[in-house]
Every structure is written in C-alpha cells, then in structure tokens.
Amino acid sequence: MIHIIGLGPGSIESITMGTMNILKKCKKNFFRTSMHPSIEYIKSQGIYFESFDNIYDKSNSFEEVYQSIANTIINEHAIHKEVCYAVPGNPKVAEKSVDIIIDICLYKNIEYKIYSAVSFLDVVFEKLNLDPVNGIQIINGAQIDKSIIDTRNGIIICQIYDEFIASDVKIFLNKIFNDDKEIYYLKSLGIDKEELIKKIPLMDIDKIKNIDHLTSIYVPTENEHKKHKYDIYDLNNIMAVLRGENGCPWDKKQTSKSIIKYMIEEVYELSDAIKNDDVDNIIEELGDVLLNIIFQCQVGNEEGIFDFLDVTDGICKKLIYRHPHVFGEKSAKNEQEVLLLWNDIKREEKKLKTYLDEIRNIPNSIPVTSRVVKALRILKNAGVDLPNIDEVKSGLNFEIVELYKKINEYNIENRSTILEKLGDVLLSVINLSESLNLDIEEALEISLGKFKKNLNL
C-alpha cells in the first residue's frame, strides 16, 4: 500500500489527526520537501522521514524531479510493501509527483490511498473572501506559458518558487493586463506571524523579495468595460449584445445570407494587407474576418442550429482526423506526402469516388478562374491523359482564330456565340498557364500592375 497524504498549507492546526496517525504507523515515510512550516512539530512527535530536497538541486527541470520522486516511491514500495508519501497542502492540488505515482500504480496494479488535507486554496478563499463558485482559475506558475487565461474569472497562480518563475509570470500576464493592474501577493497563508497579503501593481511581480515555495499571486477579474485586452469570450458577448433586445438596429436586422458579402470583402482586404506586409492592417482585417465568423455563429445560435463551440469542435476534430501522421499512426515524410494523405482522407470523408465527383464538388461560390484551375489539377492528379504543351498552344491558337471569326461576323444575334468563344479562349489560356506551372492570378496581377502604372495610379 502506498499512502499519499497532505500536510496542509502550513499551520499545525491544519494537519489532520488521520495524517499524524498514518505517519506514526508507517515505517517508511517520504516527504517531497522538508521545507514546510510544520516539519519541526512533526519531528517532535517522533516521526522519522526522508525528504527529496536533494533531488531539486541535481535535476534540470521540475518534470525530472517529479518523475524521479515517483520512481523512488514505487521502488521503495516494492521493497517495503508499505510506504507513505507526504506533500504540502492537499495531495490532489497542484502536485504533479502525486499524479505520476497514481498513473504508475494504476498501470502496475499497485494499491494506493489518498488522504485529503486542507489546501492552500482553501486559505486563499478564506483570506480574500472569495467564493470559487463565482469562477476561479488556478494556474501553475512554473507552467504559465502553457496556460489559457480567462479574464472573466479571478486567477490564482501558485508554485511561484523563485524570481525566475515570477519574471515569467509577469511577462505572460503583461500580454493580457496593464502594468498597473492591481494584484495580490500572497505568502505563507495560514501561518501565524508569517502570513502576508499585499496589493501590488503587476509590474512589481519580479521585484518581490524572499519568494519561495509558499508564494502565490491572485489576479482579480477585469472590469468588463475597462479591459486592457479583450478575448474571444468578449467578442462573443459583444456580438450577443449587438443582436440583443437593446442592441444595434442594423446588426439585429442581418441574416446569415445578408452578411456573406461582407465576409468575402473582408477576406479580400485581408489578402491585400498580407501582400503589402502591413502588420497593423493585417491585425485589423483578421479581426474583421473573425467578427463575421462570430456574427454567423450568433445567428446560428439564435436559430438553434449551431454555435461557436460547434464550429471550433468541428474544425478541431477535422484537423486531428486529417493529420493521422501527427495524431495517429500514419507517416508522411514530406510536404507532398502530407498533401496526398490529406486529399485521400478528404475524398473518403466526402465520398468522392471518382475525379468527376471531385470536380462536381468544387464550390460554385469561388471565382471561376479558381474553379477552372482546381478542375485541371484534379484531372492531373487523377492521371488523366491531358494535352501536352504543343497541343495546348495549338488549341489556344485555334480558339483565338474562332473568336476572331465570330467578332468579324458581329451582330446582336451572335453576341452569345462570341461570349462562348471568349470563354473558350480564356479556358485555353488557363490551361496553358497550368501546363507551364504558372499562376494565372499572378500573371493577371502583373498585367494589372502595368496597367495601373500606365494610368499613373
């Protein structure tokens, strides 16, 4: 049996009688650290233990420390059959080593038992008069770079062991909050005469003195209308307000179909910004595109059809499914193999059995030149025997001659025939560009640029 117990946040009063009984009965006690305010009291009760403090200095990362501790506990259990592993606070709150031990126990069918204790979180809730039901986010300061912050909730950042972690926390929070954002510096909570709760500006986090394993930070919620940085949750909420009873008359009047044209316009404007390397404009236009996505999701939500979560869920599942070489067991050595794999999966998803099915599946809403290019590339990838370059050139010459004939015979009645022949010429030009592996859009851009230059635009 492996007994996994908590020593509480620091005060002697927070150690349970059950914890003390286990420690007294067990012959092999291991403490993650001896840096705990109750250690002297525990020693005074005749309890012997070994700590893992020396491992911290020898290891390159906390992950390595926790894995080493877990391996030692499992090995000691194999020898002694009964061991006790004690950690500060509650063993199921911010204790990675405990999680690793449990995983190994489940894999090896080793019996273990968790003994709950008062967590430092309980003390934070009490001292700051917080009710977690109202929304609290708990983040590991040592892994702050992997966190997703929701400013609608108060944030408790624990495990700020040293100045380096404090600096990382400050840099991360600076992306979301102003420098003068008031936060709470918390130290040694629950320990008489050592406890410290102090309001400081965010910019001073890395100036805190005597940071140790009992240091935490609390970041209060943001004022809804005075945020430094708004996030996707805010955008969803704003869109709901605009469409709500007291919202904007124009926004309330729109439908999913009426706003399509605006999304298309915004995508083209984004394209221009990217081509011009205009960073400020790129940010603005990406926001406009995102707004249109959120707008569509809000309309879908109001109609009870879908919402933003359905959209994110769908695209995440698609990405995972279409990348079996990353999330599954398939392999793709280069970009070309990735594209082949992607297209195979896409055809299977959409039940496209032939290249004709793929051509029929090309969306009618995209520009016609792009549809022609897509169709030609589908034929090429399917191994269809396409005309060689000489045949393509000959075909283009033929279509041009045919077009000239119809133009020379021009009258009101044959306008449709000329239109048809003009289309044949354009199709042949696109075919030529594909045969030469040239981009028809890029070619037109070059010509348009020359045209504008001649007009002094």
Side-chain angles (χ1 to χ4, degrees):
M1 169 71 80
I2 298 178
H3 303 279
I4 304 174
I5 67 174
L7 300 176
S11 66
I12 296 173
E13 292 78 14
S14 65
I15 302 179
T16 66
M17 292 179 61
T19 292
M20 293 302 294
N21 288 335
I22 292 294
L23 289 172
K24 288 176 181 178
K25 290 179 182 178
C26 197
K27 295 181 180 179
K28 294 296 293 184
N29 294 316
F30 295 91
F31 284 21
R32 178 169 66 76
T33 177
S34 61
M35 296 174 64
H36 190 273
S38 300
I39 289 299
E40 293 305 318
Y41 167 72
I42 292 171
K43 287 180 179 178
S44 71
Q45 300 302 302
I47 296 170
Y48 174 78
F49 63 87
E50 299 175 44
S51 84
F52 292 106
D53 290 333
N54 62 318
I55 296 179
Y56 285 85
D57 296 328
K58 297 177 182 178
S59 303
N60 296 319
S61 66
F62 287 113
E63 287 75 11
E64 192 176 313
V65 169
Y66 301 144
Q67 188 64 58
S68 178
I69 290 173
N71 291 340
T72 300
I73 294 297
I74 297 299
N75 292 336
E76 290 291 332
H77 171 266
I79 298 170
H80 302 285
K81 306 305 177 188
E82 187 170 32
V83 298
C84 177
Y85 176 55
V87 298
N90 188 314
K92 285 305 294 176
V93 176
E95 281 294 341
K96 184 64 177 177
S97 60
V98 171
D99 293 337
I100 298 173
I101 290 170
I102 291 174
D103 287 342
I104 297 174
C105 286
L106 292 173
Y107 179 73
K108 294 188 174 184
N109 200 27
I110 298 173
E111 190 177 4
Y112 71 92
K113 185 175 180 180
I114 298 286
Y115 298 82
S116 294
V118 176
S119 163
F120 83 97
L121 294 175
D122 298 307
V123 185
V124 173
F125 299 150
E126 175 196 339
K127 299 294 181 179
L128 297 182
N129 193 28
L130 302 174
D131 186 345
V133 171
N134 295 326
I136 288 290
Q137 222 178 338
I138 302 163
I139 292 174
N140 182 346
Q143 297 177 327
I144 190 75
D145 58 317
K146 300 176 182 176
S147 303
I148 299 175
I149 299 292
D150 181 357
T151 57
R152 296 177 300 173
N153 296 323
I155 305 161
I156 298 172
I157 305 175
C158 58
Q159 297 186 331
I160 304 178
Y161 299 128
D162 53 40
E163 289 81 1
F164 298 107
I165 295 177
S167 179
D168 289 340
V169 169
K170 173 184 173 179
I171 292 170
F172 186 87
L173 293 179
N174 262 143
K175 299 174 184 176
I176 306 162
F177 304 102
N178 278 316
D179 272 345
D180 57 0
K181 165 73 175 176
E182 279 198 335
I183 64 170
Y184 289 85
Y185 160 49
L186 313 172
K187 191 171 188 304
S188 305
L189 292 195
I191 304 172
D192 291 341
K193 298 181 181 179
E194 295 182 32
E195 179 178 280
L196 179 61
I197 300 174
K198 184 179 180 182
K199 268 189 180 182
I200 62 171
L202 188 153
M203 69 179 78
D204 289 346
I205 288 179
D206 54 353
K207 298 176 185 175
I208 298 172
K209 304 296 183 183
N210 303 318
I211 293 177
D212 60 22
H213 60 293
L214 297 178
T215 301
S216 299
I217 284 170
Y218 173 66
V219 184
T221 55
E222 283 275 81
N223 183 305
E224 186 178 352
H225 303 294
K226 295 182 180 180
K227 287 192 172 185
H228 177 53
K229 287 285 182 74
Y230 292 90
D231 57 28
I232 192 66
Y233 306 111
D234 298 309
L235 182 55
N236 270 310
N237 290 337
I238 290 170
M239 193 70 252
V241 170
L242 291 174
R243 294 274 298 179
E245 183 179 352
N246 299 314
C248 170
W250 185 90
D251 288 290
K252 290 195 290 183
K253 189 178 179 181
Q254 302 311 307
T255 66
S256 58
K257 291 183 176 63
S258 71
I259 57 175
I260 291 174
K261 59 185 179 183
Y262 301 111
M263 177 177 283
I264 294 171
E265 287 175 9
E266 299 300 350
V267 171
Y268 281 127
E269 289 178 9
L270 171 61
S271 177
D272 282 347
I274 293 172
K275 288 176 181 176
N276 294 329
D277 293 321
D278 186 343
V279 176
D280 289 338
N281 207 18
I282 289 172
I283 293 171
E284 180 181 348
E285 299 304 337
L286 279 171
D288 289 339
V289 172
L290 181 57
L291 169 62
N292 276 273
I293 294 170
I294 296 297
F295 206 139
Q296 291 284 357
C297 291
Q298 179 62 30
V299 174
N301 185 37
E302 291 166 5
E303 295 176 354
I305 303 171
F306 68 92
D307 59 17
F308 183 67
L309 186 59
D310 293 317
V311 174
T312 55
D313 175 64
I315 190 59
C316 287
K317 286 176 178 174
K318 179 192 281 188
L319 287 172
I320 293 168
Y321 181 70
R322 290 196 185 177
H323 289 80
H325 54 291
V326 177
F327 303 106
E329 299 179 355
K330 297 265 178 116
S331 64
K333 299 176 184 176
N334 51 50
E335 182 183 353
Q336 190 171 358
E337 289 187 10
V338 169
L339 290 175
L340 288 172
L341 188 59
W342 177 281
N343 287 328
D344 286 343
I345 295 171
K346 185 176 179 180
R347 281 191 288 269
E348 183 181 337
E349 271 183 7
K350 298 184 179 295
K351 297 180 172 55
L352 305 176
K353 297 180 180 179
T354 68
Y355 62 84
L356 294 177
D357 290 335
E358 290 187 62
I359 292 174
R360 291 189 195 99
N361 193 56
I362 297 173
N364 291 324
S365 296
I366 65 175
V368 67
T369 52
S370 298
R371 276 185 275 162
V372 174
V373 169
K374 282 181 175 290
L376 290 171
R377 290 179 182 176
I378 288 170
L379 292 172
K380 183 179 178 180
N381 292 334
V384 176
D385 190 17
L386 296 174
N388 59 38
I389 188 67
D390 290 329
E391 292 170 331
V392 172
K393 286 162 57 181
S394 176
L396 175 57
N397 287 331
F398 173 80
E399 297 298 350
I400 291 174
V401 170
E402 288 292 300
L403 174 61
Y404 284 163
K405 285 181 183 178
K406 296 301 178 183
I407 291 174
N408 292 334
E409 301 168 2
Y410 177 76
N411 56 57
I412 297 299
E413 287 74 21
N414 77 343
R415 287 183 73 249
S416 61
T417 306
I418 294 175
L419 191 63
E420 179 185 341
K421 288 301 175 185
L422 183 59
D424 291 339
V425 170
L426 293 173
L427 182 62
S428 296
V429 170
I430 296 173
N431 199 0
L432 178 64
S433 71
E434 284 298 296
S435 298
L436 295 171
N437 290 320
L438 298 174
D439 190 322
I440 191 68
E441 292 286 342
E442 186 178 352
L444 285 169
E445 285 281 2
I446 293 170
S447 293
L448 181 59
K450 290 191 295 184
F451 178 72
K452 287 181 175 180
K453 187 176 181 180
N454 292 334
L455 292 175
N456 294 318
L457 295 178

